[in-house]
Amino acid sequence: ASGRAVVLMLALHTATPALAQSAPQRGVLFLAVEDFTRPYVRLMFEAFSDAVLRARDAPAIYFESLDSTRFEQKQYMDEVRGWLSRKYQNTRIDLVVPISEDALVFLADARGEPWPTAQVLYLEAGSVRVDTHATLPQAGGLLLTDHTVDALSVVKTILPDTKRLAMLIGATS
C-alpha cells in the first residue's frame, strides 16, 4: 500500500493544470467496489490518505463504494452513477483513484462519468480489461506483474512430489 501512496503523491504534484492551486480546494476521490469494512479497502485508503494529507496544500479526500460485488446489475450501476453525479455536482474532483479493476471499468464504461475531467490513477496486478486509451484518455497507472504461477512452477520443478503449499503474502511493519 505504501507504493500506491508514493504513486498518488507523484500524481498530485505532477498532474495536469487541473490540479493547480486555486479555489475551491482540490479533491481526490477514492472509488472502491467494496465497502470500507473490508480490511484491504480500508488499509489502502488509509495509506493513500495518510500520505496525501501530509502535503502542505492537501486536497479534500472523499471515499465512495460502488458495492458492485453484491449488486452487479447494470441498472443499479446506472443509478449509482446518477446519484454520484448529483452528490458531487458542486464539488471539485481532480483525481479519482479506483480501488480495483472493477472500479476502473465503472469509470471507463461511461468515459469517466460522473467525473469526466478528473485524472484517473490506478494500480493493478496483472492486466486491465478495458482500453483506457480509448475510454479514459485521462487515466494512467501502473500494472504489476503477478509471478505466482511462475513461482509455483519453480517449486514443482525443484520439489516434484509437493502436494501442498502455503503462501504468505504481505508486509511487516
Side-chain angles (χ1 to χ4, degrees):
S2 63
R4 291 178 187 215
V6 170
V7 170
L8 180 57
M9 288 304 294
L10 287 172
L12 286 173
H13 290 290
T14 61
T16 63
L19 293 179
Q21 180 111 334
S22 67
Q25 183 179 18
R26 296 175 301 151
V28 175
L29 183 128
F30 292 86
L31 185 64
V33 294
E34 295 192 285
D35 64 63
F36 202 70
T37 62
R38 301 288 187 172
Y40 84 94
V41 173
R42 189 177 62 254
L43 289 171
M44 287 183 2
F45 174 76
E46 288 171 356
F48 274 127
S49 57
D50 286 350
V52 169
L53 292 176
R54 285 189 216 128
R56 186 172 26 105
D57 58 342
I61 297 177
Y62 305 93
F63 179 89
E64 293 292 340
S65 172
L66 300 173
D67 206 9
S68 64
T69 55
R70 293 189 283 188
F71 305 100
E72 296 182 33
Q73 303 87 358
K74 181 178 177 350
Q75 179 182 352
Y76 169 77
M77 287 295 122
D78 291 342
E79 290 172 8
V80 167
R81 190 180 320 281
W83 179 78
L84 291 170
S85 181
R86 290 185 300 279
K87 179 178 180 180
Y88 289 95
Q89 68 185 352
N90 296 317
T91 303
R92 179 177 170 175
I93 300 296
D94 299 290
L95 179 66
V96 179
V97 180
I99 300 177
S100 86
E101 185 183 6
D102 289 338
L104 181 63
V105 170
F106 173 82
L107 293 170
D109 282 349
R111 300 195 178 276
E113 289 292 339
W115 309 282
T117 61
Q119 298 295 305
V120 176
L121 176 65
Y122 62 87
L123 178 62
E124 285 298 324
S127 63
V128 173
R129 297 179 308 233
V130 297
D131 180 1
T132 56
H133 294 293
T135 58
L136 285 172
Q138 74 278 26
L142 297 173
L143 294 177
L144 305 175
T145 304
D146 182 1
H147 296 286
T148 305
V149 173
D150 296 332
L152 293 174
S153 176
V154 169
V155 170
K156 196 66 175 165
T157 300
I158 295 171
L159 303 166
D161 296 330
T162 301
K163 301 275 188 254
R164 294 186 187 115
L165 181 72
M167 294 180 65
L168 301 176
I169 300 173
T172 60
S173 47

